[in-house]
Amino acid sequence: MQRVSSASVVVDDEVVGAIRPERQGLLAFVGATHADDAGKAQRLAEKLWNLRILDDEKSACEINAPILVISQFTLYADTAKGRRPSWNAAAPAAAAEPLVQAFADALRGLGAHVHTGVFGAHMYVELVNDGPVTVMLEL
């Protein structure tokens, strides 16, 4: 997760989600592994929504900060051996896609203004990291 002053995601030359420069927000890169489930997606959404990492130690829920959710299986790359990453720790698309959607839906259920990328698509992500602040959320 990154605190951003702006961010956007483009798929097929179309902006599909964005955080405009006039608002501080959060960009969440979401990866799923084999042991993840919808309950974990809900708990991570709650943690992100309430995490006090914005200006003046505010949380996204306190200032209604927008959140851009981007699926990213490469977070589970294993680079311990050789020169080619292994993706074995990443959940297969059929399992990961509903979990990324559950995370975004859980945020919306909490009141967040959420944009998303397109699962499985080639995406161009632009962002201005504010701070810079980058935090790995885990349970």
Side-chain angles (χ1 to χ4, degrees):
M1 183 279 312
Q2 295 186 331
R3 183 175 75 184
V4 297
S5 59
S6 66
S8 66
V9 59
V10 174
V11 176
D12 295 329
D13 296 322
E14 179 183 342
V15 175
V16 296
I19 295 172
R20 300 291 172 216
E22 63 273 5
R23 303 262 337 250
Q24 187 176 53
L26 300 174
L27 173 54
F29 292 105
V30 181
T33 191
H34 302 282
D36 292 340
D37 59 25
K40 186 172 185 179
Q42 176 71 39
R43 292 188 307 276
L44 282 170
E46 291 167 1
K47 190 170 193 171
L48 177 65
W49 187 231
N50 292 291
L51 195 64
R52 299 177 64 176
I53 60 164
L54 298 174
D55 285 349
D56 300 322
E57 295 185 12
K58 301 276 187 186
S59 65
C61 74
E62 290 176 283
I63 66 167
N64 198 27
I67 301 173
L68 179 56
V69 175
I70 305 293
S71 60
Q72 191 170 7
F73 76 94
T74 60
L75 292 170
Y76 283 101
D78 180 357
T79 60
K81 295 181 181 176
R83 297 182 298 152
R84 182 175 295 144
S86 167
W87 312 113
N88 290 339
E97 185 173 10
L99 293 174
V100 173
Q101 186 62 49
F103 177 77
D105 289 345
L107 284 166
R108 288 185 184 104
L110 293 166
H113 180 71
V114 178
H115 287 276
T116 63
V118 176
F119 189 92
H122 185 101
M123 295 179 272
Y124 293 95
V125 180
E126 291 185 345
L127 65 113
V128 177
N129 191 317
D130 183 7
V133 174
T134 302
V135 177
M136 186 169 183
L137 293 182
E138 294 184 300
L139 295 177

